[in-house]
Amino acid sequence: VGKTSTKELTAAVLRQRYPTLWTPGNYNNEIGLPLSLLRLTDEHRYVVLEMGFYTEGEIAQLCDIAHPHIGVITNIGPIHLERAGSMEAIFRGKSELIRALPPDGRAILNWDDAWVRKMAEISPAPVFKYGFTPEADLWADAIESYGLAGIRFRFHHRLGDHTETYHVQLPLLGRHSVHTALRAAAVGLIAGLAWEEIIRGLKDVNARLRIDVAPGYNRSTLIDDTYNASPPSTIAALNLLEEMEGRRIAILGDMLELGDEEEKGHRLVGARAAETADILITVGPRAHWIAEEARFQGMPNAAVHEAEDADAAIALAKTLIQPGDFILVKGSRAMRMDVIAAALSVSRRLKTED
């Protein structure tokens, strides 16, 4: 969760000083990563690569190709659990990045994640800790989220026996984006950038982050977060939706590859949807658990709607959306949630009709 946004924001920070190459899109596998490296020239000082994980051994193979010097771990959750087999296997697989680092490299670890903290024990490189806890080397507090207007918080950077503090306001969406900013800032610090350069990079509007906000159907506002979905990322998106001042509609699809955590993960999302959305539309058979849990948590039956597929969800949404509504669309790619977002986006619909 958060790999692509971290890659984009990290590249935005590094290129404030250094010629930087970074992976386009999600070229994060044994085909895309080498293709990215083929674009390296003598002018580049840094390359920022995303490494995807499904099963053990994959990241080790990518490390054999890339020889990483700095490794950033975002978090460890149940996404791809169905393929990996267990949380322990996911931990081992993602740890392959840390094990591949040289002694003069640096491991950047999320100190808010209990699984990630364990990687400090196996890292051959010095560890740089980030998170929301003062135990970290770089941490954030006083976080305020202003919906579509961005976020404000304080950075604290420990330097020996004293700490630097910086107040920032960034054009990032949702409280979960603070972790993304911490990761990018950590890389910038390790690369020797000044805080002025780091903050300028974090404000770079050209960084292509995943959430897209656009004018929506019937004078609504569409929050398109359809790249993929897991319980943590969907709950983070619902937290952003909660900050919107207007009627809130959540269109949530099946989350795939959760293995034994499948029902639990969908029910966690359903409970949060009941707290954050005024209307809930679920898409797909697994998302029935989202709807069922939302009703159980007290969401009125009339506010919970279940659609069999994307086409049914589009038709249903168009009967419900009113001017001024905020619509979140989120779910796994296989559920065609991007089709729903396109159908409910004014700009994309006009392009299609042209």
Side-chain angles (χ1 to χ4, degrees):
V1 178
K3 293 192 305 296
T4 301
S5 297
T6 297
K7 177 257 298 180
E8 292 288 337
L9 205 56
T10 298
V13 167
L14 288 173
R15 64 176 177 255
Q16 300 305 310
R17 182 184 295 189
Y18 301 114
T20 301
L21 175 69
W22 64 100
T23 312
N26 63 326
Y27 277 32
N28 61 10
N29 60 17
E30 71 280 3
I31 297 173
L33 185 140
L35 288 174
S36 298
L37 289 174
L38 288 172
R39 297 168 53 225
L40 268 176
T41 70
D42 291 339
E43 294 180 359
H44 290 117
R45 288 287 306 280
Y46 282 90
V47 57
V48 184
L49 300 169
E50 177 181 341
M51 295 185 176
F53 167 82
Y54 288 106
T55 59
E56 291 181 70
E58 288 179 317
I59 289 181
Q61 180 184 14
L62 297 177
C63 289
D64 286 341
I65 298 169
H67 301 287
H69 192 78
I70 299 172
V72 182
I73 301 293
T74 57
N75 47 55
I76 293 182
I79 189 169
H80 307 314
L81 181 59
E82 188 171 299
R83 293 200 208 186
S86 68
M87 290 295 292
E88 289 76 12
I90 295 174
F91 169 80
R92 290 192 299 270
K94 292 197 173 186
S95 295
E96 291 167 1
L97 170 58
I98 301 304
R99 292 183 184 277
L101 296 174
D104 62 344
R106 193 64 69 94
I108 300 177
L109 303 181
N110 181 354
W111 219 241
D112 296 330
D113 187 305
W115 282 100
V116 176
R117 283 200 303 269
K118 294 180 181 179
M119 293 186 187
E121 301 170 8
I122 53 108
S123 176
V127 170
F128 186 98
K129 302 171 284 189
Y130 72 89
F132 293 160
T133 170
E135 297 176 14
D137 300 298
L138 178 67
W139 73 96
D141 67 4
I143 300 167
E144 298 178 53
S145 182
Y146 299 98
L148 303 182
I151 54 176
R152 180 185 295 168
F153 62 94
R154 292 186 304 191
F155 275 121
H156 302 280
H157 179 213
R158 193 188 320 281
L159 285 169
D161 58 357
H162 75 281
T163 300
E164 297 178 331
T165 297
Y166 296 89
H167 297 254
V168 295
Q169 185 164 349
L170 304 176
L172 304 176
L173 301 183
R175 292 174 61 90
H176 62 285
S177 296
V178 177
H179 269 116
T180 307
L182 283 165
R183 291 188 276 267
V187 174
L189 290 169
I190 290 167
L193 271 67
W195 270 104
E196 179 183 355
E197 295 170 304
I198 291 169
I199 293 170
R200 188 167 66 238
L202 295 175
K203 291 183 176 181
D204 187 348
V205 296
N206 294 314
R208 298 176 182 175
L209 305 184
R210 284 295 184 198
I211 299 178
D212 184 25
V213 180
Y217 178 80
N218 195 18
R219 290 180 289 155
S220 63
T221 299
L222 178 71
I223 303 172
D224 176 2
D225 192 10
T226 56
Y227 172 69
N228 217 333
S230 65
S233 69
T234 304
I235 289 171
L238 287 168
N239 292 342
L240 174 62
L241 180 66
E242 185 180 30
E243 297 167 8
M244 302 300 109
E245 295 183 0
R247 199 172 67 143
R248 301 178 294 269
I249 300 176
I251 305 177
L252 306 178
D254 286 1
M255 297 176 289
L256 306 181
E257 299 183 6
L258 297 183
D260 293 340
E261 297 287 316
E262 189 173 69
E263 180 175 351
K264 177 184 176 182
H266 284 84
R267 289 192 179 278
L268 285 171
V269 167
R272 188 63 181 133
E275 298 171 337
T276 57
D278 298 299
I279 294 175
L280 172 64
I281 300 173
T282 63
V283 186
R286 296 170 183 82
H288 168 71
W289 286 316
I290 297 176
E292 187 175 75
E293 187 65 25
R295 294 188 189 100
F296 179 76
Q297 296 295 335
M299 198 168 192
N301 284 332
V304 181
H305 307 267
E306 297 186 53
E308 184 175 332
D309 54 30
D311 294 332
I314 293 166
L316 177 59
K318 287 184 174 180
T319 69
L320 296 172
I321 295 171
Q322 299 175 3
D325 286 353
F326 289 87
I327 303 105
L328 168 68
V329 185
K330 180 76 172 169
S332 287
R333 277 177 288 180
M335 299 308 298
R336 299 173 65 231
M337 303 304 289
D338 57 329
V339 174
I340 298 174
L344 299 180
S345 168
V346 170
S347 57
R348 293 182 204 174
R349 192 166 65 251
L350 288 174
K351 288 178 184 177
T352 302
E353 291 169 356
D354 290 345

